[in-house]
Amino acid sequence: MKILVPVKQAALVEDDFELRDDGRDVDPDFVDLQLNEWDDYSLEAALQLKEANDGIEVVAVTVGDDDTEDALRTCLAKGADRAIRIWDDVIADADPLVIARVLAAVAQREAPDLVLAGTQSSDLGFSATGVAMAAFMGWPHAAVVVALDYAPGAATAIVERELEGGLRERLEVDCPAVLTIQLGINTPRYASLRGIKQARSIPIEELSPDELGLEDQDIGEQARGSRVREMYLPDKGQAEMIEGTPAEQAARIAAIVKEVMGG
Amino acid sequence: MAQGILVIAEQRRGVMSPVTQELIGAARAVKADIGGSLSVAIIAGDPKALADSVKLDGVDEVLLLPVEANEFQPDLHVAAALQAVEERDPALVLMSHSVDGWGYGAALAVRAAAGFATDVFAIQVDDGEVVAVRGAYGERAHAKIEFPGRERVVLALRPSAFTAAEGATDCSVTTLAVPDTAVRSRHLEFIDPPSEGGVDIPAAEFILSIGRGVGEEENVEEFAELADQVGAVLGCSRPIADAGWLPKARQVGYSGKTASSCRLYLALGISGSVQHLAGMKHIENIIAVNSDANAGIFNVARYGVVGDMFEVGQELRQHFD
Ligand SMILES: Cc1cc2nc3c(=O)[nH]c(=O)nc-3n(C[C@H](O)[C@H](O)[C@H](O)COP(=O)(O)OP(=O)(O)OC[C@H]3O[C@@H](n4cnc5c(N)ncnc54)[C@H](O)[C@@H]3O)c2cc1C
Ligand SMILES: Nc1ncnc2c1ncn2[C@@H]1O[C@H](COP(=O)(O)O)[C@@H](O)[C@H]1O
């Protein structure tokens, strides 16, 4: 059986940054890339299923340009069996619905038994891609999963979703399904040196949307659910900044504590 | 042409969620610019029982969509919402960017072929066109989102960002039949959070909270001692609880506790994610210590310290016995 894990190479914006010339995103010069935090957990969930059962193949997939290959290398180093990268310049600045449409086409080709996506991306935080992907595939889905009980080949999985305030919901989901995995479901492993070395020799399959049978109407401008008109820096809050040495700053904090709390 | 606004109410365990009132408030604020009427859809086992709670100022019509599940179920939710969309043809659909919202919003947008944005905290209408505002990169930038070519837009609104609608109104109530739908997941039970073990974040008046800036588990102890010394209850952000460095009962935020009684909140090494802010941004006195001068937490803090939480923490201990 096969588990498909969509992963995103997420953008970590540096402390001081500037916007791109067109004003619609952060200038890539001020961005470091890192595997989306949530995807560490979904990959780990897939790897744990693989280790507990015979014959499970874990396939990591990303929709991204050359710079996103590292995300897949990380997945391979941790134990994913295969990695797929899809790209075409028309996808640049795509919205989650287009990404989901591409991922759905990959799933159609790979025919996995389970898709484990992340609950959200740490950079843009849409919390949309996994569920949109399920909708394009016509699959059942459950979002914000913090516990997963699934035996390969079973008709259903028992999962727990984490709701507001720490409340949980236990539910049964028909499989195959798309689950979006939440932080804390497991403790993600680090890649071993051996794994990192081995991962270098595993080829990454590169595909274009065209090769997946996608056409311009599926992924072009008109397929987007939204478009960024403009990005801007939010107004600074009203915070009064406490300057000085750590000792001076601490003295002021202590004074505020005593003033507000009394004593 | 699509016209008017459809709000999809959120309920759980037979109680209308407070965010529903905010959705209605947001709808009312843009109603005149959008044009048309404002309908509120209730999708539930017994929607009628909840109808009165949404008859608020600005609402023209309550739509009851009975489904065969008392608790949230994505297939039924999408089917019911689509039915309401089909019958009322709204230009704007407002729903909650909540855990249940994440469980169906994107699927609804796909199925309705609508424009879609999530975590929206402001809505503008420019020349009749909807523009949504959301955060990006941990709130360090904001983005205006447009929906070219879309006749209909679904927006998932951030909880606590819009002013709740008030004032009862009398309006019509219509029941719509939800088409037969394959239900592919089943709610089994709710599991309440484990007992607090003596930790009571909602009751605490002074909280010292640590985030990922603490670095390592062995560093947690020195901040537990600091909290003790200054007379604060120790709180934390989610990664600290997820790692098991502190119990879940100390986690402040959307999936943790709300610091309801807090008068002073000292945030050390916490970036200020939306979900952490959900539990503390209402507090009058927030002091944030962060090494990153652009950290989002400074946007809600009353006092800010750009610095190292370890250095500041150690100095702070000199002022308390
Ligand atoms: C459904 C859902 C629910 C969630 N619920 C919650 C919740 O209830 N509560 C919650 O907190 N999160 C929650 N999260 C997670 C949230 O999105 C963030 O991942 C989390 O809040 C980040 O925690 P943090 O600020 O401690 O870590 P980070 O974002 O990693 O920030 C660490 C900060 O420490 C600063 N720093 C580093 N070193 C130092 C130093 N030496 N001195 C001073 N500053 C330093 C850094 O500049 C940075 O700003 C939830 C997420 C989801 C998807
Ligand atoms: N470009 C991408 N390539 C592959 N998977 C993605 C991509 N963007 C988002 N995802 C998946 O969708 C999840 C949620 O992301 P988002 O909807 O962007 O918040 C991520 O954790 C990934 O599993």
Side-chain angles (χ1 to χ4, degrees), chain B residues 56-82:
Chain B
L56 298 168
D57 192 27
V59 177
D60 298 301
E61 178 193 37
V62 178
L63 296 175
L64 305 179
L65 293 132
V67 292
E68 272 169 49
N70 283 321
E71 298 306 335
F72 171 72
Q73 201 290 326
D75 299 312
L76 293 173
H77 234 71
V78 170
L82 278 175

Side-chain angles (χ1 to χ4, degrees), chain B residues 6-9 40-48 62-69 76-85 87 173-179:
Chain B
L6 174 72
V7 164
I8 302 176
V40 180
I42 305 177
I43 304 167
D46 179 15
K48 195 155 177 265
V62 178
L63 296 175
L64 305 179
L65 293 132
V67 292
E68 272 169 49
L76 293 173
H77 234 71
V78 170
L82 278 175
Q83 186 63 31
V85 165
E87 303 229 10
V173 178
T174 313
T175 302
L176 298 181
V178 180

Side-chain angles (χ1 to χ4, degrees), chain B residues 47-124:
Chain B
K48 195 155 177 265
L50 295 164
D52 283 346
S53 62
V54 300
K55 289 180 180 168
L56 298 168
D57 192 27
V59 177
D60 298 301
E61 178 193 37
V62 178
L63 296 175
L64 305 179
L65 293 132
V67 292
E68 272 169 49
N70 283 321
E71 298 306 335
F72 171 72
Q73 201 290 326
D75 299 312
L76 293 173
H77 234 71
V78 170
L82 278 175
Q83 186 63 31
V85 165
E86 203 158 290
E87 303 229 10
R88 290 297 176 268
D89 195 21
L92 182 60
V93 178
L94 300 182
M95 54 172 291
S96 170
H97 189 65
S98 57
V99 175
D100 284 349
W102 303 352
Y104 79 95
L108 173 63
V110 168
R111 296 277 303 279
F116 184 49
T118 60
D119 200 18
V120 170
F121 60 77
I123 307 171
Q124 298 164 0

Side-chain angles (χ1 to χ4, degrees), chain A residues 101-228:
Chain A
R101 182 70 187 85
V102 176
L103 291 171
V106 176
Q108 207 153 26
R109 179 177 184 267
E110 291 290 325
D113 299 272
L114 199 61
V115 174
L116 300 182
T119 285
Q120 72 173 32
S121 50
S122 48
D123 48 6
L124 296 173
F126 298 120
S127 304
T129 310
V131 169
M133 178 184 177
F136 281 120
M137 294 167 10
W139 278 21
H141 49 88
V144 197
V145 168
V146 285
L148 166 61
D149 184 0
Y150 172 70
T156 59
I158 302 292
V159 310
E160 287 177 23
R161 298 174 66 225
E162 186 188 52
L163 311 175
E164 285 76 8
L167 181 70
R168 290 181 175 210
E169 176 198 20
R170 219 161 63 87
L171 68 157
E172 181 185 54
V173 186
D174 294 348
C175 291
V178 178
L179 307 179
T180 76
I181 302 295
Q182 167 68 321
L183 305 174
I185 186 175
N186 52 40
T187 309
R189 69 193 63 195
Y190 291 98
S192 66
L193 279 175
R194 196 166 138 257
I196 293 170
K197 224 171 125 197
Q198 278 175 349
R200 284 198 203 115
S201 62
I202 305 176
I204 288 174
E205 297 161 52
E206 294 178 0
L207 290 170
S208 67
D210 198 34
E211 287 168 290
L212 290 169
L214 292 168
E215 295 175 17
D216 200 45
Q217 68 197 41
D218 301 316
I219 56 169
E221 290 266 356
Q222 73 281 15
R224 292 180 190 178
S226 69
R227 176 182 187 276
V228 176

Side-chain angles (χ1 to χ4, degrees), chain B residues 154-317:
Chain B
V154 176
L155 300 182
L157 306 190
R158 178 184 293 180
S160 307
F162 293 87
T163 310
E166 284 175 12
T169 186
D170 205 20
C171 61
S172 65
V173 178
T174 313
T175 302
L176 298 181
V178 180
D180 275 345
T181 305
V183 173
R184 300 169 300 172
S185 65
R186 288 152 295 277
H187 169 85
L188 299 174
E189 61 173 337
F190 286 114
I191 305 165
D192 287 302
S195 71
E196 319 293 318
V199 180
D200 195 351
I201 291 288
E205 294 188 17
F206 179 17
I207 297 173
L208 181 155
S209 251
I210 55 173
R212 191 138 50 184
V214 75
E216 289 172 35
E217 181 168 17
E218 60 199 43
N219 297 338
V220 171
E221 184 52 33
E222 88 177 69
F223 291 95
E225 286 169 15
L226 176 62
D228 226 28
Q229 212 175 338
V230 303
V233 171
L234 182 66
C236 65
S237 67
R238 177 166 184 139
I240 307 303
D242 275 344
W245 299 354
L246 284 175
K248 197 85 178 161
R250 294 196 186 274
Q251 179 187 316
V252 176
Y254 193 61
S255 54
K257 299 284 176 248
T258 301
S260 325
S261 319
C262 191
R263 288 191 285 136
L264 179 58
Y265 191 88
L266 184 51
L268 306 178
I270 294 176
S271 62
S273 69
V274 180
Q275 290 106 0
H276 189 78
L277 298 190
M280 47 67 75
K281 74 166 195 280
H282 60 277
I283 299 169
E284 185 181 348
N285 296 291
I286 298 170
I287 310 176
V289 180
N290 197 302
S291 48
D292 171 7
N294 284 319
I297 189 89
F298 291 126
N299 293 335
V300 300
R302 176 156 183 192
Y303 305 98
V305 173
V306 178
D308 176 39
M309 62 189 278
F310 295 93
E311 283 177 18
V312 174
Q314 271 148 21
E315 292 293 343
L316 197 53
R317 296 181 79 156

Side-chain angles (χ1 to χ4, degrees), chain A residues 6-8 36 38-39 61-63 99 103 117-121 125-130:
Chain A
V7 300
K8 178 177 187 184
N36 176 29
W38 275 263
D39 301 341
V61 53
T62 197
V63 183
I99 302 292
L103 291 171
T119 285
Q120 72 173 32
S121 50
F126 298 120
S127 304
T129 310

